[in-house]
Amino acid sequence: MRNEKLVEIEEGALFIADSHYPHHGDAFLTLLQKIESGEIQTSQLFLMGDNFDLLFGYNDYIQTFSEEVIALLQRLSQQIEIHYFEGNHDFCLKDIFPNINVYSRETQPIHFTFNGKKVTMSHGDKYVTGLGYDLYCKILRNKTTLTLLKPFEKAIIKHRMQKLSQKKICHAFHGFEKRVEAILVHYADADLVIEGHFHQSRKLGKYISLPSQACQGMVAVVEEGKIVFTSL
């Protein structure tokens, strides 16, 4: 565990994972609007990655696809505590969201406390991924790489956005229990592990696989000291 004082997960904390906005509905936008209006009350928001279907820093053009949500998050970050765990679809976000606690893949997992327990959180693509995927992430999530691609940005981004708009992202993960067992080897000191990425909406022992907002239409919230899955 890190030596600095850990952040406590509070009653009413809200976890949103794998919204894949804008290609998989407006649920992410609508929920953020309800938070801003006060219809939904929370002082602590955890964005668990892949909340955007494609968003990365050092590029103005990609932001045009999600301008409304980006502006909304920037406003909310002036009002409430927000933690953003970068995923494999959204990364290099610190310049876009300067007032949000942004955690890159390299700095994840991040440790918190909850009811006296040690909680470790990550998007979910950090462990048991393979060397090829790790190298791909290191190259792609890099300012130099993204800067070098800028002359070709519109053609590349338009092609990728079109592909993503047609991608089917909701499916059962066969053998998920074994994957979780392998992941938990890296979380031996944690009392509770919270991840997104897999779109499974399941609880396996101390492992919480958050629901995908795009797939299950659900989020997680702390209610009466427990983390529950719910539709908002």
Side-chain angles (χ1 to χ4, degrees):
M1 302 288 285
R2 299 181 178 186
N3 292 326
E4 67 265 23
K5 184 178 179 180
L6 302 183
V7 174
E8 174 74 16
I9 299 173
E10 302 171 356
E11 181 72 16
L14 183 60
F15 302 80
I16 310 175
D18 301 280
S19 312
H20 289 272
Y21 179 86
H23 290 138
H24 296 274
D26 291 331
F28 187 43
L29 169 63
T30 301
L31 183 51
L32 295 177
Q33 288 172 330
K34 288 181 178 180
I35 294 173
E36 184 177 45
S37 71
E39 182 178 345
I40 292 176
Q41 298 281 336
T42 185
S43 61
Q44 202 175 39
L45 180 61
F46 293 91
L47 303 177
M48 299 303 297
D50 289 0
N51 295 97
F52 294 89
D53 214 16
L54 187 63
L55 180 66
F56 49 85
Y58 317 118
N59 187 289
D60 295 331
Y61 180 62
I62 189 61
Q63 296 182 42
T64 64
F65 293 89
S66 305
E67 287 178 327
E68 188 172 7
V69 170
I70 291 171
L72 185 47
L73 280 173
Q74 289 170 339
R75 293 196 301 273
L76 283 173
S77 69
Q78 302 284 345
Q79 304 167 25
I80 63 174
E81 176 186 332
I82 304 179
H83 300 268
Y84 202 127
F85 293 76
E86 293 185 344
N88 45 302
H89 286 251
D90 41 7
F91 46 88
C92 298
L93 300 179
K94 189 58 184 175
D95 287 345
I96 300 176
F97 302 119
N99 296 308
I100 291 177
N101 301 294
V102 176
Y103 309 115
S104 67
R105 183 175 185 264
E106 289 73 21
T107 60
Q108 296 177 37
I110 305 297
H111 307 292
F112 296 83
T113 59
F114 177 58
N115 293 337
K117 296 180 179 180
K118 300 175 183 178
V119 180
T120 307
M121 296 168 57
S122 171
H123 169 63
D125 69 334
K126 180 67 178 284
Y127 300 120
V128 197
T129 54
L131 292 176
Y133 181 81
D134 291 342
L135 180 61
Y136 164 79
C137 288
K138 190 173 184 64
I139 293 173
L140 184 61
R141 304 179 196 192
N142 181 279
K143 181 179 181 179
T144 300
T145 301
L146 296 175
T147 301
L148 289 173
L149 291 175
K150 281 188 73 67
F152 318 100
E153 64 179 13
K154 289 192 176 181
I156 293 173
I157 290 171
K158 282 182 178 179
H159 178 265
R160 188 60 185 155
M161 290 295 275
Q162 177 64 22
K163 287 283 189 181
L164 288 170
S165 69
Q166 301 171 355
K167 185 177 180 181
K168 298 185 184 301
I169 64 170
C170 305
H171 55 83
F173 191 130
H174 299 293
F176 188 57
E177 294 83 357
K178 288 190 177 296
R179 173 64 71 89
V180 170
E181 286 179 10
I183 290 172
L184 287 178
V185 170
H186 301 274
Y187 292 112
D189 66 339
D191 298 313
L192 189 66
V193 177
I194 303 174
E195 292 190 333
H197 185 58
F198 297 108
H199 306 179
Q200 294 305 294
S201 188
R202 297 181 63 184
K203 296 181 180 181
L204 298 169
K206 71 176 186 178
Y207 186 87
I208 296 178
S209 178
L210 292 169
S212 161
Q213 192 180 31
C215 295
Q216 287 86 28
M218 302 177 74
V219 297
V221 64
V222 177
E223 292 183 354
E224 297 181 355
K226 296 181 180 179
I227 297 175
V228 299
F229 300 162
T230 184
S231 298
L232 293 177

